[in-house]
Amino acid sequence: MRFNTPYLITGLLLIVSVFFSAMGQAQDRTTKVDWKKTTRHEVTIKGKKVPYTATVGNQPVWDESGSPIATLLYTYYERTDVSDKSRRPLVISFNGGPGSASVWMHLGYTGPKHLIMDDEGFPVQPYGVEDNPHSILDVADIVFVNPVNTGFSRIIDNEVDRETFFGVNADVEYLAEWISTFVSRNSRWASPKYLIGESYGTTRVSGLANELQSSHWMYLNGVILVSPTGLGVDRDGPVGDALPLPYFTATAWYHDALNSELQSQDLDDILPGAEEFTINEYIPALSKGGFIPDAEKERIAERVSYFSGIDKQVILDNNLSITTSLFWKELLRDQELTVGRLDSRYRGIDRQNAGDSYDYDPALTSWNHSFAPAINIYLRDELGYDTDLRYWVFGPVRPWDRSEDNTGENLRAAMAQNPYLHVMIQSGYYDGGTNYFDAKYTMWQMDPSGKLRDRLSFKGYRSGHMMYLRTEDLETSNQDIRDFIQMSRPEEGTPAKY
């Protein structure tokens, strides 16, 4: 049998070509390693048209030898009618978890597209997104980053140790390297730079502020902490037990569960009294433990009941200390309802009315209901991210090494060394996961000297963990970010010195 050599070679080349083409298509349908796609858009913000590009892509994480070991999904929004990027702020946005994708603040808060929902943040159908008239894109470009194993971000080296990514300090280290590369690739070194993080994302950005400054020589103008975690600040014992009380007050007021004297007043008028009682009386009383005099114990229980809406006897039965889980179950027990953890405006129903904890968080289940369809519709159909990968709203990142969390101190150190650096905290009064008074306490303890007080600020809102889901707070909180960016940008030529 004779073979026609030219035809044989051509056939082999065709087979090889088809093979590698198929491999490429398979790669495109699964994990994109270093890739991007840009589309052009326009949004009206505060009554003015803002043209912009949306770039969705993946940028790798490399090991020390320069080999890619993971790839991170990002979405980057740039206003296109600005010629001088050196004066244009860049906001780098992270959500938390750990293990949470960037979907929450991306489609809920600062981006040019917003989740379709009702004015109080409840899901509605049909699912999808609409223009966000309150986005901060008019004053700053934004990049939303998905850490490893969130969104479409994936580990691509099967041999790499998971400890490279999954821990307080490991997370900060590889993300700082990723940010440095992103800033270089997009020519943003001259831009005023800001980090914003929500929930565990506040741990992340607090550590990043110092890591970027000390290891990458990248100095920031601001850090925004949305519903912050404890940032490694010690609050064990009576302090931690007492700090949720003002949050209890806010939640009970919302559900009309306080006594008539407090219920008849506005929330802003009653919270200062709850805060003062917590610091000046409640913490000292809990510090006495079982040796507190009976008369004082009765008086404290009466006041805790007054500020929480929980029956005095329940408070006495729990040695004056009400856990948040018991509060979520107990507050509306007489109505056979529970209240949400991450947003206590939401109500749920349990299998049985008895018990000291609820079956599920009605806030989180409601949010998953609306966010998961919307982000898939938006990335795949509108921005053109073509993949068969599942978008991980919450990804597999366990176990997570939480040891040596000094992120609050890291942020303080970065502020001390960088006179330009300002910090703003944003919290919802109805957030039971990272309550607003805990956030205030963190701010106070992060700066024990008081020397940074003029560069630390707190903003509170009448909503929960994602305070931006309520339409009124979406507008207010975005404006607070605009004001913060404007305030934290020094006049041209102002030296960074004390």
Side-chain angles (χ1 to χ4, degrees):
M1 184 175 183
R2 298 181 63 185
F3 294 97
N4 190 315
T5 303
Y7 284 110
L8 178 61
I9 293 173
T10 301
L12 289 173
L13 289 174
L14 179 61
I15 292 171
V16 170
S17 174
V18 169
F19 173 77
F20 280 106
S21 175
M23 289 294 290
Q25 290 174 11
Q27 179 73 12
D28 288 344
R29 299 299 296 167
T30 55
T31 303
K32 301 178 189 298
V33 177
D34 199 349
W35 170 93
K36 65 181 180 180
K37 179 178 181 178
T38 301
T39 50
R40 304 185 74 85
H41 310 267
E42 186 177 80
V43 63
T44 299
I45 301 174
K46 299 179 73 67
K48 297 182 179 180
K49 292 183 178 180
V50 176
Y52 68 94
T53 56
T55 299
V56 62
N58 286 73
Q59 179 184 290
V61 177
W62 293 277
D63 63 14
E64 293 180 355
S65 67
S67 299
I69 56 175
T71 182
L72 303 192
L73 168 71
Y74 67 90
T75 311
Y76 178 36
Y77 298 101
E78 283 187 286
R79 184 168 180 168
T80 55
D81 60 351
V82 176
S83 58
D84 187 359
K85 293 291 184 181
S86 69
R87 298 173 182 269
R88 174 79 171 161
L90 173 65
V91 175
I92 305 165
S93 180
F94 292 96
N95 272 100
S100 174
S102 70
V103 55
W104 312 103
M105 289 200 294
H106 186 175
L107 296 189
Y109 196 4
T110 56
K113 292 292 184 178
H114 190 266
L115 187 74
I116 297 174
M117 59 177 59
D118 79 353
D119 286 347
E120 290 298 314
F122 289 89
V124 296
Q125 290 183 329
Y127 301 118
V129 296
E130 58 190 359
D131 285 349
N132 181 6
H134 308 297
S135 170
I136 62 169
L137 188 57
D138 57 332
V139 299
D141 296 333
I142 320 164
V143 57
F144 296 92
V145 186
N146 295 267
V148 168
N149 277 12
T150 71
F152 296 136
S153 299
R154 296 291 191 269
I155 297 172
I156 57 177
D157 181 350
N158 293 328
E159 302 300 320
V160 70
D161 194 329
R162 291 171 65 89
E163 293 179 358
T164 304
F165 310 108
F166 302 147
V168 173
N169 296 305
D171 180 69
V172 165
E173 184 175 349
Y174 90 83
L175 285 173
E177 187 73 41
W178 190 95
I179 290 170
S180 180
T181 300
F182 181 87
V183 168
S184 295
R185 281 187 170 191
N186 291 277
S187 302
R188 299 308 297 263
W189 273 95
S191 301
K193 286 174 282 294
Y194 296 81
L195 299 178
I196 181 171
E198 178 182 67
S199 195
Y200 184 84
T202 62
T203 299
R204 178 173 285 138
V205 299
S206 295
L208 278 169
N210 193 55
E211 179 72 12
L212 286 169
Q213 186 170 298
S214 60
S215 298
H216 297 271
W217 306 281
M218 184 181 293
Y219 288 73
L220 306 172
N221 284 70
V223 174
I224 302 163
L225 307 177
V226 179
S227 304
T229 57
L231 305 184
V233 173
D234 181 25
R235 68 198 74 223
D236 291 340
V239 171
D241 292 341
L243 287 176
L245 182 59
Y247 148 72
F248 293 165
T249 304
T251 299
W253 179 87
Y254 178 84
H255 291 286
D256 199 21
L258 292 174
N259 65 80
S260 58
E261 180 184 0
L262 290 179
Q263 199 66 55
S264 63
Q265 300 179 60
D266 186 71
L267 182 62
D268 289 340
D269 296 326
I270 65 175
L271 288 181
E275 294 178 8
E276 183 178 349
F277 169 76
T278 299
I279 294 296
N280 296 331
E281 298 185 62
Y282 194 22
I283 292 174
L286 291 178
S287 299
K288 297 175 184 179
F291 287 79
I292 185 173
D294 290 342
E296 184 180 359
K297 186 175 184 178
E298 287 284 329
R299 183 183 67 81
I300 294 296
E302 186 72 40
R303 295 295 286 170
V304 173
S305 175
Y306 175 76
F307 283 118
S308 68
I310 301 297
D311 186 78
K312 175 184 173 182
Q313 189 57 50
V314 173
I315 294 162
L316 287 170
D317 289 345
N318 286 274
N319 301 322
L320 301 180
S321 178
I322 300 296
T323 64
T324 50
S325 61
L326 176 58
F327 175 80
W328 301 325
K329 182 74 172 180
E330 182 68 29
L331 182 66
L332 301 181
R333 195 189 297 267
D334 60 342
Q335 301 176 43
E336 299 188 358
L337 296 169
T338 63
V339 298
R341 170 180 175 261
L342 292 178
D343 191 328
S344 296
R345 297 174 301 151
Y346 292 70
R347 302 178 182 187
I349 53 174
D350 280 356
R351 179 184 176 91
Q352 62 183 29
N353 203 40
D356 57 8
S357 62
Y358 59 33
D359 294 348
Y360 67 98
D361 180 3
L364 184 58
T365 55
S366 177
W367 297 340
N368 289 339
H369 184 176
S370 51
F371 273 91
I375 190 64
N376 278 281
I377 293 167
Y378 180 57
L379 290 181
R380 298 175 191 273
D381 300 343
E382 293 196 29
L383 297 189
Y385 195 102
D386 186 25
T387 183
D388 287 334
L389 287 177
R390 181 155 58 100
Y391 184 93
W392 280 339
V393 175
F394 299 105
V397 300
R398 310 292 178 181
W400 190 271
D401 182 4
R402 294 180 181 270
S403 62
E404 299 184 36
D405 179 0
N406 297 310
T407 50
E409 171 57 22
N410 293 340
L411 181 54
R412 185 212 62 80
M415 292 181 71
Q417 297 169 41
N418 178 5
Y420 285 155
L421 181 54
H422 292 71
V423 172
M424 179 173 68
I425 292 173
Q426 296 183 303
S427 290
Y429 293 129
Y430 307 126
D431 178 7
T434 56
N435 77 77
Y436 88 92
F437 201 51
D438 245 340
K440 282 190 173 182
Y441 183 84
T442 297
M443 181 175 66
W444 299 336
Q445 302 306 311
M446 198 177 78
D447 175 34
S449 72
K451 295 175 182 177
L452 306 176
R453 186 185 304 178
D454 62 337
R455 288 190 278 143
L456 287 159
S457 60
F458 175 89
K459 300 289 184 182
Y461 309 91
R462 297 192 183 198
S463 42
H465 193 70
M466 300 180 191
M467 72 285 166
Y468 44 80
L469 296 187
R470 180 171 174 260
T471 300
E472 181 179 328
D473 291 320
L474 173 67
E475 180 177 4
T476 303
S477 56
N478 271 302
Q479 186 57 48
D480 286 337
I481 294 178
R482 280 191 194 84
D483 295 341
F484 176 74
I485 289 174
Q486 182 62 37
M487 175 274 299
S488 57
R489 294 174 61 192
E491 293 291 333
E492 186 173 346
T494 302
K497 67 178 183 178
Y498 292 112

